[in-house]
Amino acid sequence: MDTITQEQKTLEDLCRAAGAGGLPEAAKTAAKLLEPYMDEVTLSPIGNVVGWRRCGKNNAPVVLLEAHIDEIGFIVTGVDDAGFVRVSPCGGVDARALAAAEVVLWADKPYPGVFCSTPPHLSGGDAPLADIPDMGIDVGLDARKAKKHILLGTRVTFRPHFEPLLGDRVCAKALDDRAGVAAILHALRLLDGVALSCDVAVVSAAQEELGCRGSAVAAFAVNPTCAIATDVSFALTPDAPAAKCGELGKGPMLGWSPTLDVALTRQLETLAEQAGIPLQHEVMGGDTGTDADSISDARTGVPTALLSIPLRYMHTPAEVVDLKDVRAVGALMAAFVQKGVTAL
């Protein structure tokens, strides 16, 4: 299997799995993909996947590679008398993308559904966007059957799909942040069979979309010497401000923020230059809004860097990334584990 096909297959397996807050399928998928490269892999009570590859040396430094495994979604709040299911968002769902969006309700079995959409002929074309709790999901059941099978608290995700586009680009739900998980897996493949001078801990963290909860407890448990988090960031589209965006296919976006470690970040910059890995830069005046923040202040503090994968259409059912960027993030992580850790 060639590299492109391998990366596509890995990412497709991850993106097709359900992983809104509280659903375990995505974490189990990540754990299975990690097992060939780790000495041990465990699932924590909060839903984190934690893998360890140990170098066998006493008091070896511990490098944490982290990406979150959860996705945005919804939780059922009720069923109305017409049989339409009502939900609230789990995470920052873009309500503009919900009209006629296909979803799956993970009840006593998976139920396909679709968000209700008022035809423009009836809405007048300028109707204000409804709040998500005021929208309905049509599952094709009458009220009696829907209330019997779709219970309060049922999780809802966008319908799984994975579409290769032209070149190395792919479109799917949950590329935020399954692309980051795939990047770490690519790093582990590059490191497979390579002798290391450090222990490597890999975390696929739960509940990032609910406030970076999983990464906080994982960083406390792992107690790393340093950490590299990977997430997604904004990729340029015609309607987006260019100054706040990276470009697809132009490499990882290296994060610069007061919450990130300057020395570690500059080390990654140097390693990328030495390895011929293209870099883009993302400067943030406050925190990063990613798991890097909750990792960096774990215990007494962890030197942390952030590598972001440019992504279009964030928090919608049809996100887009370029696999070249996914592989580049993995390659830079692998370079750090092999070369950069000696400077710690």
Side-chain angles (χ1 to χ4, degrees):
M1 180 179 292
D2 62 61
T3 302
I4 292 177
T5 302
Q6 188 174 38
E7 293 305 314
Q8 285 182 347
K9 183 63 169 62
T10 296
L11 198 48
E12 180 172 3
D13 289 346
L14 289 165
C15 288
R16 287 189 178 278
L23 292 176
E25 182 187 351
K28 291 179 179 178
T29 300
K32 185 176 180 180
L33 290 168
L34 269 179
E35 284 173 355
Y37 309 104
M38 297 280 100
D39 298 318
E40 63 179 273
V41 177
T42 58
L43 289 169
S44 76
I46 201 172
N48 290 332
V49 182
V50 183
W52 284 92
R53 178 180 165 185
R54 303 187 188 277
C55 67
K57 300 177 181 179
N58 292 329
N59 301 316
V62 176
V63 177
L64 170 61
L65 305 179
E66 187 273 349
H68 72 84
I69 191 64
D70 64 315
E71 65 188 281
I72 58 169
F74 310 88
I75 188 168
V76 171
T77 58
V79 178
D80 67 23
D81 291 338
F84 295 112
V85 179
R86 304 292 182 167
V87 296
S88 284
C90 297
V93 178
D94 189 342
R96 298 171 301 171
L98 295 186
E102 296 177 83
V103 294
V104 178
L105 294 82
W106 301 94
D108 52 7
K109 66 176 184 179
Y111 289 87
V114 60
F115 268 94
C116 301
S117 174
T118 303
H121 317 68
L122 301 179
S123 67
D126 295 320
L129 187 67
D131 292 332
I132 292 175
D134 297 326
M135 299 179 182
I137 296 176
D138 187 349
V139 294
L141 299 175
D142 61 31
R144 181 183 65 83
K145 290 181 180 178
K147 290 178 180 179
K148 177 181 178 182
H149 294 285
I150 312 296
L151 303 181
L152 297 180
T154 295
R155 301 305 198 277
V156 182
T157 62
F158 292 122
R159 178 184 65 82
H161 72 101
F162 187 90
E163 306 296 337
L165 304 178
L166 295 177
D168 281 335
R169 295 178 184 180
V170 296
C171 175
K173 63 96 173 163
L175 285 168
D176 177 6
D177 183 32
R178 309 291 163 76
V181 177
I184 293 173
L185 287 164
H186 182 63
L188 296 176
R189 281 192 282 270
L190 294 175
L191 295 169
D192 195 25
V194 177
L196 302 180
S197 59
C198 63
D199 293 342
V200 178
V202 171
V203 171
S204 297
Q207 299 188 28
E208 188 271 350
E209 302 292 359
L210 303 177
C212 301
R213 289 164 47 82
S215 58
V217 298
F220 185 92
V222 169
N223 192 20
T225 308
C226 65
I228 303 174
T230 181
D231 207 324
V232 298
S233 192
F234 312 114
L236 185 65
T237 53
D239 55 346
K244 296 182 179 181
C245 298
E247 294 187 53
L248 291 180
K250 297 294 183 67
M253 298 168 68
L254 182 63
W256 301 89
S257 162
T259 67
L260 300 173
D261 186 80
V262 174
L264 181 55
T265 302
R266 295 206 180 281
Q267 198 172 5
L268 287 174
E269 186 179 29
T270 299
L271 287 169
E273 182 178 356
Q274 292 172 349
I277 298 171
L279 276 184
Q280 305 179 77
H281 297 274
E282 183 177 29
V283 180
M284 294 153 280
D287 60 26
T288 70
T290 72
D291 282 339
D293 300 324
S294 55
I295 295 170
S296 68
D297 62 10
R299 291 183 180 259
T300 58
V302 178
T304 303
L306 174 65
L307 295 173
S308 294
I309 297 166
L311 174 140
R312 289 177 177 168
Y313 323 123
M314 190 179 296
H315 286 197
T316 75
E319 298 173 334
V320 172
V321 299
D322 193 307
L323 290 174
K324 291 192 293 293
D325 298 325
V326 175
R327 291 193 293 271
V329 168
L332 187 49
M333 285 181 161
F336 177 79
V337 171
Q338 286 183 267
K339 301 176 182 179
V341 73
T342 57
L344 296 176

